Amino acid sequence: MTQHSRDLSRRRLLFGGAAVGAATLLTACTSNETPAASTQTKAAGGSEGNNAPGKKVVIGFSAPAADHGWMGAIHANAKAQAAAYSDVEFKEVDGGSNSEAQRSTLGTLIAQKPDIIVVLPHDGKEVNAVALQAMQAGIPIVNLDRAFPDALASRLVIKGDNYGMGVSAGHFIGKMLKDKGIANPVIGEIAGLEIPLTVERSEGFKAALATYGFSVRNRRSAEFTSDSGQREASQLLQALPKIDAVWNHDDDQGIGVLAAIKQANRSEFFMVGGAGSKLAIDAIKADNTVLKATVTYNPSMASSAISLARLIAQGRGMGDLTELQVPKEVTLASETITKENASSYDKLGF
């Protein structure tokens, strides 16, 4: 192989592909249809297409410590998806509890020279430099969920639609309130950590509500944990003696939110959750709390990230696409789970 050919091959690994915005395009290489041991994977035992064994590759993985259910599912799904492939060696490093710890262990991982690394950063801005270091060393980065600000810091970005989550929640609440004939509703919002994805969620929520002539009366910031959800919900309830609707961004922190609501003996409003946890789906089906819907942000994206990382490292594209390379960006749609369709989403609950 000539130097020019080697350079071209490397450029394709690092920068190839155009953006794509639909989860359905992933079906050629990964799926959520067959959960295994509470993880969302697709078996890799087939003999055709992207499932056919290829070059042996080492996939590195780094994500924050699993301090809540969604993050725990991210770790479990990534590990299980890698184990489904006979041609993948999975190397996970401890992402720790902050960006400093993650930068340190990522540096160690880069020194081991895996073929590709999947990274869910604590904070995209704070881990950006290390991702750039990997890319410059010829190790492609798959940026999972929380985006790096520098487009050169990753070969692929795969994430949920944060803005779309807010839009979905806003439309559900807006339509429900309109149907109830409430002209000037009191709407509360319990957000997560104030990081870019949370800001996007709130912006989408605000934009959707505005189409009905509505706005948020009181917004609180929790931290994606049950304890913080209970704390912020208690303060929201104290600030608003009457509420018509609430959007809670995260179903894990929603456990605490529901506890605070029960403790305050409040039931005059309805609530929409976020992410699509099994507990939330079960509560929606039971229809015995204020929680009437949740908008998806599924940790199955970790499974898809591993599958796509494998294809990138092997120099393969996605079977259902004409292009020879995996796209540069994949954004998964946010769907609304209600009592009417909750049973269809049981397999996606985490």
Side-chain angles (χ1 to χ4, degrees), residues 108-258:
T108 301
L109 182 59
I110 291 168
Q112 295 174 13
K113 298 182 179 179
D115 295 288
I116 193 165
I117 302 175
V118 177
V119 183
L120 195 165
H122 278 276
D123 183 297
K125 290 182 180 178
E126 295 178 359
V127 184
N128 187 80
V130 182
L132 274 173
Q133 177 188 340
M135 290 287 288
Q136 291 164 0
I139 303 171
I141 292 289
V142 173
N143 183 190
L144 175 60
D145 185 36
R146 302 171 186 174
F148 297 121
D150 192 334
L152 296 179
S154 65
R155 160 61 180 83
L156 164 69
V157 178
I158 177 167
K159 59 183 180 177
D161 186 357
N162 289 290
Y163 188 87
M165 279 184 77
V167 170
S168 295
H171 280 310
F172 182 87
I173 287 174
K175 290 174 183 175
M176 286 276 287
L177 293 173
K178 284 291 187 183
D179 289 346
K180 290 173 179 284
I182 301 174
N184 188 27
V186 177
I187 300 172
E189 179 182 1
I190 303 175
L193 284 168
E194 289 298 341
I195 54 180
L197 66 82
T198 298
V199 174
E200 290 177 17
R201 292 177 183 182
S202 290
E203 288 175 347
F205 189 49
K206 179 180 178 180
L209 289 178
T211 66
Y212 301 89
F214 301 155
S215 61
V216 173
R217 188 72 59 88
N218 192 300
R219 181 182 183 276
R220 311 295 305 181
S221 295
E223 298 157 12
F224 298 136
T225 63
S226 177
D227 287 346
S228 66
Q230 185 167 3
R231 180 191 70 227
E232 297 304 324
S234 296
Q235 294 184 24
L236 179 75
L237 294 169
Q238 290 171 18
L240 301 174
K242 181 183 181 301
I243 302 174
D244 294 297
V246 172
W247 180 36
N248 164 56
H249 286 209
D250 181 80
D251 288 334
D252 284 326
Q253 73 186 26
I255 296 170
V257 172
L258 287 172

